[in-house]
């Protein structure tokens, strides 16, 4: 009966934390692997630097336990902030937020139908691009219509050819 305890525990862990999804395993491997390397390097560097500092100040190496305890406390205090930053960096680089393009397009289409203010529409467009693509920089250019285009649009409704090509959006990623 006891030999079934380990497989059942593994099965519960897989089901509870959705470990069958390979993306989760890869993400956690990237985060905790790089975090481990970073913290080990920082720990070794702190121990060597503090030992050299203590040796320079006191002239003896008898304060080594204090150096190890101090370095351990610094690493313990830095674990969560470094983990959050590493997670954010990896998520931004490899796992951009998944989105339902149809849903976002339908919501923006509704905004297009009801919004008449160009500034509000521009802000909505930039917000949709930022939310879906999460680029590093976004630029939007709107060309001012010429006098001939203004006078012709007042006389009749502009054709799609006249309207097209007046706007442009540039998305820059790092």
């Amino acid at each position: 009966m006891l030999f079934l305890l380990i497989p059942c525990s593994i099965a519960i862990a897989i089901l509870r934390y959705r470990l069958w999804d390979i993306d989760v395993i890869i993400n956690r491997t990237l985060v905790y692997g790089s975090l481990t390397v970073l913290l080990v390097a920082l720990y070794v560097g702190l121990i060597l630097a503090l030992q050299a500092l203590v040796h320079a100040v006191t002239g003896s190496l008898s304060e080594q336990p204090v150096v190890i305890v101090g370095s351990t406390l610094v690493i313990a205090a830095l674990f969560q902030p470094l983990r959050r930053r590493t997670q954010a960096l990896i998520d931004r680089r490899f796992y951009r937020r998944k989105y339902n393009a149809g849903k976002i397009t339908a919501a923006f289409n509704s905004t297009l139908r009801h919004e008449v203010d160009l500034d509000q529409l521009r802000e909505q467009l930039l917000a949709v691009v930022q939310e879906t693509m999460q680029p590093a920089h976004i630029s939007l250019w709107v060309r001012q219509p010429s006098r001939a285009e203004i006078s012709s649009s007042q006389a009749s409704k502009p054709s799609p050819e006249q309207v097209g090509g007046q706007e442009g959006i540039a998305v820059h990623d790092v």
Side-chain angles (χ1 to χ4, degrees), residues 4 11 21 65 78 85 106 108 142 152 154:
L4 289 177
D21 189 10
L78 287 177
R85 287 184 187 213
F108 186 65
V142 179
S152 69
Q154 290 173 350

Side-chain angles (χ1 to χ4, degrees), residues 67-93:
V67 168
I68 293 174
V69 168
S71 297
T72 305
L73 290 175
V74 168
I75 294 299
L78 287 177
F79 179 79
Q80 281 300 328
L82 283 176
R83 188 195 62 78
R84 271 188 248 114
R85 287 184 187 213
T86 306
Q87 181 75 53
L89 179 73
I90 288 173
D91 284 347
R92 182 168 184 258
R93 189 67 190 148

Side-chain angles (χ1 to χ4, degrees), residues 45-58:
L46 273 173
I47 287 179
L48 293 177
L50 289 177
Q51 279 181 349
L53 181 69
V54 166
H55 182 66
V57 171
T58 63

